[in-house]
């Protein structure tokens, strides 16, 4: 809610639409309100940026929490992308689909298993659909940002010391937004920042 009010305050000549949904819902019920809220507009920039880390050992974590994490981090992005790219293709319009993934997808992620697995999926999905969408004028970019100063860290640092260390190196969200637009149409997978170089 705070972010939405900040956007409205900062960009007074831009109209924003807030669509509160649960991207962790296994039935993809989030799609109906998204579709209804955007029926009367053309969406050419699609940002699949939702995700969170679920710390803990998989056997100790209730399945519904693991499943919701996988749905939010990976599956919801495919549903949203599918809907909006089909609309663009129907209208013969260009577009851009971006995904926020992570270099964590390159490595096993014990104590955060569903996070690293979903990020591997998102990167592979983005790289694959980039080929499907290129000839119809829709660019795809998947960003592997190094730590970003967002709410990602809230409630996890005490469980994962590595996250507390990572947050100390975090850049502001605008750094990543600038990088996304700088790379759009030029590259598909962007390893950005220091943790990607290590």
């Amino acid at each position: 809610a705070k972010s939405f009010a900040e956007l409205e305050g900062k960009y007074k000549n831009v109209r924003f639409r807030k669509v509160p949904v649960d991207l962790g819902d296994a039935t993809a019920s989030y799609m109906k309100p998204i579709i209804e809220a955007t029926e009367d507009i053309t969406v050419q920039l699609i940002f699949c940026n939702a995700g969170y880390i679920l710390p803990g050992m998989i056997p100790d974590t209730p399945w519904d929490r693991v499943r919701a994490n996988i749905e939010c981090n990976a599956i919801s992005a495919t549903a949203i992308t599918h809907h909006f790219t089909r609309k663009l293709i129907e209208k013969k319009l260009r577009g851009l689909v971006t995904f926020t993934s992570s270099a964590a997808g390159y490595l096993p992620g014990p104590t955060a298993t569903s996070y690293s697995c979903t990020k591997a999926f998102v990167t592979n999905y983005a790289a694959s659909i980039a080929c499907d969408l290129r000839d119809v004028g829709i660019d795809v970019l998947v960003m592997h940002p190094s730590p970003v100063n967002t709410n990602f860290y809230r409630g996890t640092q005490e469980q994962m010391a590595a996250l507390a260390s990572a947050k100390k190196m975090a850049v502001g969200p605008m750094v990543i937004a600038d990088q996304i637009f700088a790379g759009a149409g030029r590259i598909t997978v962007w390893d950005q920042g220091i943790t990607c170089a290590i």
Side-chain angles (χ1 to χ4, degrees):
K2 182 180 173 189
S3 299
F4 188 76
E6 287 173 357
L7 286 171
E8 287 184 314
K10 187 171 182 177
Y11 303 100
K12 296 188 187 304
N13 295 328
V14 177
R15 183 171 168 223
F16 294 91
R17 296 182 183 192
K18 185 176 184 178
V19 186
V21 295
D22 177 4
L23 294 177
D25 180 70
T27 66
S29 64
Y30 47 82
M31 286 308 298
K32 185 177 182 198
I34 291 171
I35 291 167
E36 289 172 353
T38 57
E39 278 178 331
D40 63 326
I41 59 174
T42 299
V43 177
Q44 291 179 266
L45 299 173
I46 301 130
F47 296 89
C48 297
N49 189 39
Y52 63 96
I53 195 163
L54 180 64
M57 305 293 268
I58 286 291
D60 299 332
T61 307
W63 170 244
D64 62 327
R65 292 186 66 214
V66 174
R67 187 217 34 83
N69 187 228
I70 293 168
E71 185 75 32
C72 178
N73 288 12
I75 306 304
S76 66
T78 66
I80 291 166
T81 299
H82 186 262
H83 170 72
F84 287 111
T85 56
R86 286 176 57 98
K87 292 287 204 184
L88 290 173
I89 292 166
E90 285 171 16
K91 295 177 180 180
K92 296 181 173 31
L93 293 172
R94 294 186 55 79
L96 171 65
V97 184
T98 72
F99 298 87
T100 303
S101 188
S102 173
Y106 291 137
L107 303 166
T111 72
T113 302
S114 58
Y115 182 75
S116 58
C117 293
T118 57
K119 293 308 178 178
F121 174 86
V122 167
T123 297
N124 195 299
Y125 177 76
S128 297
I129 66 162
C131 300
D132 293 345
L133 298 173
R134 185 177 187 273
D135 288 342
V136 294
I138 301 172
D139 293 316
V140 176
L141 185 141
V142 58
M143 177 68 73
H144 294 163
S146 287
V148 183
N149 191 11
T150 65
N151 287 332
F152 176 81
Y153 302 97
R154 186 176 32 187
T156 59
Q157 294 177 69
E158 56 281 345
Q159 293 173 290
M160 299 183 76
L163 287 180
S165 297
K167 188 174 182 186
K168 293 175 185 171
M169 298 184 294
V171 298
M174 287 309 295
V175 170
I176 303 308
D178 289 344
Q179 296 295 307
I180 287 171
F181 285 112
R186 295 179 42 225
I187 58 175
T188 301
V189 179
W190 192 328
D191 290 317
Q192 185 277 330
I194 191 164
T195 59
C196 294
I198 294 176

